[in-house]
């Protein structure tokens, strides 16, 4: 299991150092939550901030766009140093054009599905994706409760990816994940877990990441 700490729960007055701290703690990806106050009822930060903190780690930047018109901003997030860009199937941009734009910049593309969206919505795009991100909370805020009823969606996605022969497709889950439930996600077929609160509120993030990984063995 790969762990992607969500920086949404970090001390933003020390953003760069927080990223370096997560790197040392054994994070596999840095999960960066971009919210526009329109697609979701919260505002975080944009591409210039990502550009500033890029130098604090060599680990991949996994940029989760919770914005209404992602296509308009792909160049900005590409220039800022994103390695993976995921955006929501529920957004207003043309989905195929946005995937193509991300890939044309040499960046890995992913689609995200909100809890109310069925897995089938992303089936037509799977062959073009590096990753599908299944939200296990309503997007917008950290610290919410994990929705266990999203687990069958993960299994459905894995089953369809296998049917299409897409053995390399990564499935990521995001929201309310910690030591107490990560094994359920591993069993359902998740490859990458985002963890905000459970890593940042831990006394020892390295220990928290390690024990989450151990639970999945
Ligand atoms: C929610 C974000 C998540 C969130 C996860 O909209 O996409 O990445 O920060 O935080 P926790 O792990 O606290 O639910
Ligand atoms: Zn996220």
């Amino acid at each position: 299991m790969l762990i992607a700490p969500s920086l949404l729960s970090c001390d933003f007055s020390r953003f760069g150092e927080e990223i370096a701290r997560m790197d040392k703690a054994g994070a596999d990806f840095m999960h960066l939550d971009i919210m526009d106050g329109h697609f979701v009822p919260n505002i975080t930060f944009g591409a210039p901030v990502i550009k500033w903190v890029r130098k604090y780690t060599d680990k991949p930047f996994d940029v989760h766009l919770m914005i209404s018109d992602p296509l308009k901003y792909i160049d900005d997030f590409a220039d800022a140093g994103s390695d993976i860009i995921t955006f929501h199937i529920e957004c207003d941009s043309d989905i195929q054009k946005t995937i193509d734009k991300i890939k044309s910049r040499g960046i890995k593309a992913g689609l995200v599905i909100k809890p109310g969206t069925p897995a089938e919505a992303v089936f037509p795009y799977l062959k073009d994706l590096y990753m599908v991100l299944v939200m296990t909370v309503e997007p917008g805020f950290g610290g919410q409760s994990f929705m266990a009823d999203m687990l069958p969606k993960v299994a459905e996605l894995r089953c369809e990816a296998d049917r299409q022969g897409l053995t390399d497709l990564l499935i990521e889950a995001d929201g309310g994940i910690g030591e107490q439930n990560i094994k359920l996600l591993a069993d359902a077929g998740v490859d990458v877990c985002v963890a905000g609160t459970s890593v940042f509120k831990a006394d020892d993030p390295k220990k928290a990441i390690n024990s989450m990984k151990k639970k999945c063995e």
Side-chain angles (χ1 to χ4, degrees), residues 73-84:
Y73 298 94
I74 299 305
D75 276 325
D76 290 351
F77 286 100
D79 292 341
S82 308
D83 299 283
I84 305 162

Side-chain angles (χ1 to χ4, degrees), residues 2 37 48 55-56 79 107-108 110 121-122 140-141 171 174-176 191 199:
L2 301 177
K55 59 178 177 285
Y56 287 86
D79 292 341
I107 292 164
K108 292 164 173 147
V122 296
F141 300 92
I171 300 180
D174 183 5
D191 306 286
V199 169

